[in-house]
Structure formats: structure tokens, C-alpha cells
Amino acid sequence: LVFWLIASTLTLARRSPAAPGLTEAAGIRQLAFFATLLWLLHPVQTQAVTYVVQRLASLSAFFCLLSCVCYVRGRQSARHRQYAYYGASVLAWLLALGVKQNAAILPVLVFVYDLYFFHETPWHALRRRWPWLLILGAFGVGMAVLYFGPHVWSTLLKRYARREFSLPERPLTQPRVVPYYLSLPLVPHPVCHLLVSRPSVDRIEPHSPRPGV
């Protein structure tokens, strides 16, 4: 799945003048192969198989990749075959969502992928597809209400009452945590990591989120 998705993305990208070297199909396959090999053998992947609970992440990632592949195949297929691929993409996404809730972000990723790789300019496509953006936003709100109930904010506050950090402290801490995770593909140390980070209470305390921002 990773190989096919990378190869398809590179094939779509070679249409752009910014990628003049991506002209040979053999070169694209070789690049996709080595990129897949790097993804497969990268030390950071040990995190997903070290802990039993991380099987959720592996299975959810599998269904997310399958959903992306089905969508791309649908966009490249004839109209009478598109609906089958789109239906399979939605089914794979629902399975990923049933395994782990962070798969809820997948429709946004697919929407951005479509803007950049199936249109000449993403902003021009965004102006034409703004109704779909509204539908995507309404769908996200509906999913939140379905999952949390009609009182979304109060339900969130009740769930955070059982945690060691509050809801306002979480977005303040993310600018410190996200750069750390982004650095792992370049510097995978430690190989098996269990991040325990002190929450950021405000913008000026010692564990300030300002450097991350």
C-alpha cells in the first residue's frame, strides 16, 4: 500500500514543472521502492510493535492507507468504476475510525491531497470546491456530536477531569510536543520512547510553548 501510494503520488507530481526529473516510470518505481524501504526499516516504526496496545495504531494506519489508495484509484478510474472505489475508501476509513479515533482526520488529509495533486493550483480548486469544504466541516461537527453527545464542550471537560492536565493546558503543550515528534524521523532517539511531558500552564512559565510556536 505504501509503495503504490508513493508511486501514484510521484506520478501525479511529475505533471508539475517543479519536478522535471520525474519523467521515467522506472525512476518513479525505484524512488517509491527506496522510500517504502526507508519507511519500513526506520527505527521509529519499532514503537508500533513494541507495545501490544500499539497494534491499534498499526491496524488503523493500514485501513487509512487502504482508504487513501482506494480514493486515488477512484480519481484515476472511469466514472462507472469510481463509485466502487469511493465506497471502498469510505468503508476502509470507517474501519480505521473504529480501531482508533485519530483516523477522524483522514477526510481532511484526503481533501488536501486532492487539492494539490489533482488540480493545477490548489487555491483555484478550493474556490471551486468550497461547498465540499462546508460539507466536510458539517460532517466533522456531526461526528463530534455523535461521539460526544449534544453537549460536546461539557462532555470534554468531564473527560479531562480524570486526566493529569486540563483541556486548556493541552493546546499549550502541543507546540512543545509536536516538534519533538517531527524530529523523530530525522533523529530517532530514543528508539522506543514513552513521552512524558510536563503540561504548559501558561505562556510565560519555564515550560513555555513559545519556542515550539
Side-chain angles (χ1 to χ4, degrees), residues 97-212:
L97 192 61
V99 174
K100 198 170 184 180
Q101 292 87 346
N102 60 359
I105 196 67
L106 183 63
V108 178
L109 300 180
V110 171
F111 184 80
V112 174
Y113 184 96
D114 184 275
L115 290 181
Y116 275 91
F117 292 105
F118 288 102
H119 303 276
E120 293 184 1
T121 58
W123 299 115
H124 178 69
L126 191 60
R127 287 195 297 268
R128 292 190 305 168
R129 290 179 173 263
W130 64 267
W132 287 103
L133 190 60
L134 294 179
I135 293 174
L136 188 62
F139 180 76
V141 172
M143 290 291 293
V145 173
L146 184 64
Y147 184 76
F148 293 107
H151 306 288
V152 178
W153 186 253
S154 60
T155 303
L156 277 174
L157 292 178
K158 289 180 181 178
R159 294 193 178 189
Y160 272 89
R162 302 191 297 267
R163 296 178 178 265
E164 298 179 357
F165 52 90
S166 65
L167 181 58
E169 289 173 352
R170 181 159 192 164
L172 282 175
T173 309
Q174 292 307 304
R176 293 170 38 228
V177 176
V178 171
Y180 168 72
Y181 280 117
L182 292 177
S183 69
L184 288 176
L186 298 176
V187 186
H189 178 76
V191 175
C192 295
H193 59 278
L194 182 61
L195 180 61
V196 179
S197 180
R198 177 184 170 186
S200 296
V201 180
D202 54 52
R203 292 174 294 177
I204 59 175
E205 53 115 16
H207 295 272
S208 173
R210 288 183 178 179

Side-chain angles (χ1 to χ4, degrees), residues 74-109:
R75 289 288 273 123
Q76 296 174 328
S77 301
R79 183 171 295 274
H80 67 280
R81 301 180 61 184
Q82 284 183 338
Y83 297 107
Y85 280 117
Y86 291 157
S89 177
V90 173
L91 178 61
W93 173 65
L94 291 176
L95 291 174
L97 192 61
V99 174
K100 198 170 184 180
Q101 292 87 346
N102 60 359
I105 196 67
L106 183 63
V108 178
L109 300 180

Side-chain angles (χ1 to χ4, degrees), residues 35-115:
T36 304
L37 194 65
L38 177 63
W39 174 85
L40 182 64
L41 300 179
H42 198 283
V44 78
Q45 301 293 6
T46 58
Q47 179 75 7
V49 296
T50 302
Y51 304 106
V52 175
V53 70
Q54 289 300 327
R55 293 177 183 176
L56 297 175
S58 301
L59 188 59
S60 179
F62 167 77
F63 285 123
C64 285
L65 287 171
L66 181 61
S67 178
C68 291
V69 167
C70 290
Y71 179 83
V72 175
R73 287 296 298 268
R75 289 288 273 123
Q76 296 174 328
S77 301
R79 183 171 295 274
H80 67 280
R81 301 180 61 184
Q82 284 183 338
Y83 297 107
Y85 280 117
Y86 291 157
S89 177
V90 173
L91 178 61
W93 173 65
L94 291 176
L95 291 174
L97 192 61
V99 174
K100 198 170 184 180
Q101 292 87 346
N102 60 359
I105 196 67
L106 183 63
V108 178
L109 300 180
V110 171
F111 184 80
V112 174
Y113 184 96
D114 184 275
L115 290 181

